[in-house]
Amino acid sequence: MGEICEKTIWVTGASSGIGRALTLRLAKHKNFVIASGRRQQALAELQKCSPKRIGILQCDVADDDAMDVVPERLAELTDHLDIVIACAGTCEYDDGLRLESAMYRRVFDANFFGVVNTLRIALPLLTASSSPVFAALSSLSSVVPFPRAEAYGSSKAALDYFLQSVRADVCNTNFKVICIRPGFVDTPLTARNDFKMPTLISAERAAKYIEDGIAKERSNIDFPRRLSWPLRFLGFFRFLWFRFCAPKISRIRTLRKD
Ligand SMILES: NC(=O)c1ccc[n+]([C@@H]2O[C@H](COP(=O)([O-])OP(=O)(O)OC[C@H]3O[C@@H](n4cnc5c(N)ncnc54)[C@H](OP(=O)(O)O)[C@@H]3O)[C@@H](O)[C@H]2O)c1
């Protein structure tokens, strides 16, 4: 397993789940981690675990105006960033194809525009590093279209494209852009799921996969393989997904509302 050490790293979504496990793991490996989230109390609790290695910066990545003041607060903590890992995100399902635009906007604000904001704020500090890395948490749900995931899956598919487009833009520089696609990870986000989650792994295991992938400079970090490989196959032969998988997962049996 590859290890990252003695870097300055900004992790968003660090107050819970994957981001929290990642912050603790990176701090243990002698990095200085700036941990972000909206809940100050959860961040303060996290900092207590490693006060010298963890700095905290409360922010709402989905709030464009509030993010504009973040550079000043980041500058109080560091003069550069080697790695940024954008973990902040949310999930809401569209049950019964209600297509409420407010819900879609909430999901896109956190999962897509939140990452755009994070990169905008981080870029000047990343350019001060000799080997800058920007990584963001997409999802294996972007590989095949899951029922009820119209908002979540679309936001992650848009994020995949965004990251690859940025990668294309900076391909003549030393800036590395990484797309991370986890399968099911046991966190407060998935605790709300009311279905069986195949190949569920712990947040600590996910953090290990992510650190290893970044240390090895992988462009895409998909895990676990026992889920990512079958999904990639079904993503390629999509007719099989629609013929055999989607009908089993879909909860809609009729379009009639009565
Ligand atoms: N768990 C999975 O199975 C799974 C699978 C694939 C991808 N992912 C992705 O992995 C990322 C982390 O998910 P998780 O499972 O660890 O979920 P989680 O435990 O719910 O953590 C989500 C984190 O994002 C932060 N956050 C949400 N909205 C934010 C906002 N507007 N501004 C700032 N921070 C915000 C939350 O902190 P505050 O509430 O304090 O703001 C929290 O720290 C997400 O992008 C998710 O889509 C998760």
Side-chain angles (χ1 to χ4, degrees):
M1 279 278 176
E3 253 183 40
I4 301 170
C5 55
E6 293 178 0
K7 302 279 187 195
T8 300
I9 305 171
W10 183 20
V11 177
T12 71
S15 55
S16 133
I18 300 170
R20 187 177 195 281
L22 200 48
T23 300
L24 290 171
R25 187 177 176 86
L26 292 168
K28 205 169 136 197
H29 293 163
K30 299 191 169 60
N31 297 285
F32 176 59
V33 190
I34 299 168
S36 282
R38 290 166 302 184
R39 283 168 295 151
Q40 177 69 26
Q41 185 59 34
L43 293 173
E45 294 292 326
L46 174 65
Q47 191 182 32
K48 278 187 202 155
C49 302
S50 183
K52 286 194 182 135
R53 299 270 173 209
I54 300 176
I56 56 175
L57 194 168
Q58 183 198 25
C59 66
D60 181 343
V61 294
D63 183 335
D64 299 350
D65 296 335
M67 284 300 276
D68 283 340
V69 301
V70 169
E72 284 165 35
R73 294 167 54 211
L74 264 179
E76 288 165 13
L77 295 166
T78 183
D79 60 357
H80 78 286
L81 287 169
D82 298 302
I83 302 173
V84 175
I85 311 173
C87 292
T90 189
C91 179
E92 291 187 58
Y93 294 114
D94 191 348
D95 282 308
L97 264 186
R98 283 201 287 266
L99 302 167
E100 287 166 6
S101 54
M103 184 277 271
Y104 280 69
R105 285 209 176 87
R106 272 197 307 275
V107 172
F108 267 76
D109 277 348
N111 293 358
F112 181 76
F113 292 106
V115 178
V116 177
N117 279 337
T118 303
L119 178 57
R120 173 168 55 83
I121 300 309
L123 206 47
L125 288 173
L126 281 167
T127 56
S129 168
S130 54
S131 51
V133 175
F134 183 82
L137 274 279
S138 174
S139 161
L140 282 179
S141 69
S142 65
V143 177
V144 287
F146 281 89
R148 302 199 300 141
E150 287 84 358
Y152 181 73
S154 305
S155 70
K156 295 298 190 185
L159 177 60
D160 281 18
Y161 191 96
F162 170 74
L163 294 171
Q164 289 179 52
S165 188
V166 175
R167 191 186 296 158
D169 256 322
V170 300
C171 66
N172 294 319
T173 75
N174 64 345
F175 186 25
K176 192 113 194 95
V177 180
I178 300 177
C179 181
I180 302 165
R181 282 183 286 249
F184 293 109
V185 183
D186 191 6
T187 68
L189 188 102
T190 48
R192 302 195 296 255
N193 286 347
D194 61 353
F195 54 87
K196 196 168 174 283
M197 293 176 276
T199 74
L200 185 74
I201 60 169
S202 69
E204 289 71 27
R205 180 103 193 120
K208 211 169 167 182
Y209 276 117
I210 293 169
E211 186 191 20
D212 181 59
I214 295 176
K216 291 179 177 157
E217 300 198 341
R218 298 229 161 90
S219 297
N220 297 295
I221 305 171
D222 294 0
F223 59 87
R225 274 189 194 162
R226 59 191 195 280
L227 183 64
S228 69
W229 285 13
L231 286 184
R232 281 175 169 284
F233 176 82
L234 290 163
F236 193 71
F237 297 105
R238 208 160 273 206
F239 68 96
L240 292 173
W241 174 259
F242 282 108
R243 175 81 176 80
F244 297 108
C245 304
K248 286 207 178 80
I249 306 170
S250 173
R251 297 177 182 185
I252 295 180
R253 295 285 173 261
T254 171
L255 282 178
R256 287 171 63 104
K257 296 281 182 201
D258 49 39

